[in-house]
Amino acid sequence: MPTSNYGKIRIRHLRAEDLPDLEWEGEYTHFRRQFELTYRDYLSGNGVPWVAENVFSGEILGQVFVLFESRYRRELADGRGRAYMYSIRVKEQFRNLGLGNMMMDVVEADLAERGFTRATLNVAQDNPDAYRFYFRRGYRIVAPEPGKWSYIDHEGIRRYVDEPAWRMEKALKGT
């Protein structure tokens, strides 16, 4: 399993035993089934869930999930040249310390090594800090996204999300 170490931080693939830690002490429990589906994609070879962990405590500090091929949204991930990154987040107390850049460096390098030439992601239109972060990393807006989707939460209830976003894309280095 590939890992990259940055002193006290290790960027590595998600393991099954990490799944409960993605809920961040209950803040994201409602996404439990989504995390499990992402892990199944990984096991099937259609993506990679990455986590950043504190090497001393084992605490998960951040995550980036990657989908190689989308059955429904080929403009996001086509399985050959374009991959989609999603559920990108860093715990609040660890933001603005370089962790996001560390994770993105590892994920983008991995995608380039796998032969992907472009990375896509969506950023909420009401999240200017995230937009600026991706823009500094070379991502550019390629389309608006309606941001309407749904999921089934941990209690089996369908939840609806309405979060207008910008689809951003970047040409990967080394490709």
Side-chain angles (χ1 to χ4, degrees):
M1 175 183 305
T3 63
S4 292
N5 290 305
Y6 297 89
K8 296 188 281 186
I9 305 297
R10 178 181 302 124
I11 312 296
R12 62 168 175 79
H13 292 175
L14 178 75
R15 298 186 294 247
E17 60 267 23
D18 298 322
L19 287 168
D21 295 332
L22 298 179
E23 296 180 17
W24 292 9
E25 295 83 37
E27 184 177 354
Y28 294 106
T29 301
H30 58 283
F31 284 138
R32 181 178 295 158
R33 289 183 182 206
Q34 293 304 113
F35 298 146
E36 291 166 357
L37 290 171
T38 295
Y39 191 72
R40 278 192 237 142
D41 274 340
Y42 170 49
L43 294 177
S44 74
N46 192 31
V48 178
W50 292 91
V51 294
E53 78 172 344
N54 178 309
V55 296
F56 301 112
S57 69
E59 179 183 7
I60 301 297
L61 309 176
Q63 67 187 50
V64 178
F65 298 160
V66 178
L67 182 65
F68 298 145
E69 183 173 10
S70 172
R71 290 185 295 259
Y72 311 107
R73 302 282 315 269
R74 306 284 293 166
E75 72 276 14
L76 296 177
D78 63 14
R80 295 181 317 262
R82 181 177 284 115
Y84 178 63
M85 293 184 286
Y86 65 101
S87 197
I88 304 165
R89 64 177 184 241
V90 172
K91 285 187 174 178
E92 189 170 352
Q93 63 269 35
F94 299 101
R95 293 180 189 155
N96 299 310
L97 300 174
L99 185 55
N101 276 313
M102 285 183 233
M103 289 191 307
M104 295 298 281
D105 286 346
V106 170
V107 172
E108 290 170 2
D110 180 67
L111 287 172
E113 188 175 304
R114 292 171 187 269
F116 288 92
T117 58
R118 303 197 81 67
T120 64
L121 55 84
N122 289 336
V123 60
Q125 290 180 7
D126 66 356
N127 190 345
D129 292 337
Y131 168 79
R132 281 189 296 274
F133 170 75
Y134 298 125
F135 186 81
R136 284 192 307 269
R137 290 197 55 84
Y139 288 83
R140 298 297 179 257
I141 293 173
V142 294
E145 286 285 331
K148 293 182 186 298
W149 59 283
S150 67
Y151 66 97
I152 299 175
D153 73 10
H154 63 294
E155 295 176 335
I157 299 168
R158 180 160 301 277
R159 301 292 178 172
Y160 295 90
V161 178
D162 185 2
E163 183 179 58
W166 300 112
R167 181 173 358 125
M168 299 184 81
E169 188 171 284
K170 175 183 178 176
L172 298 171
K173 293 181 182 174
T175 59

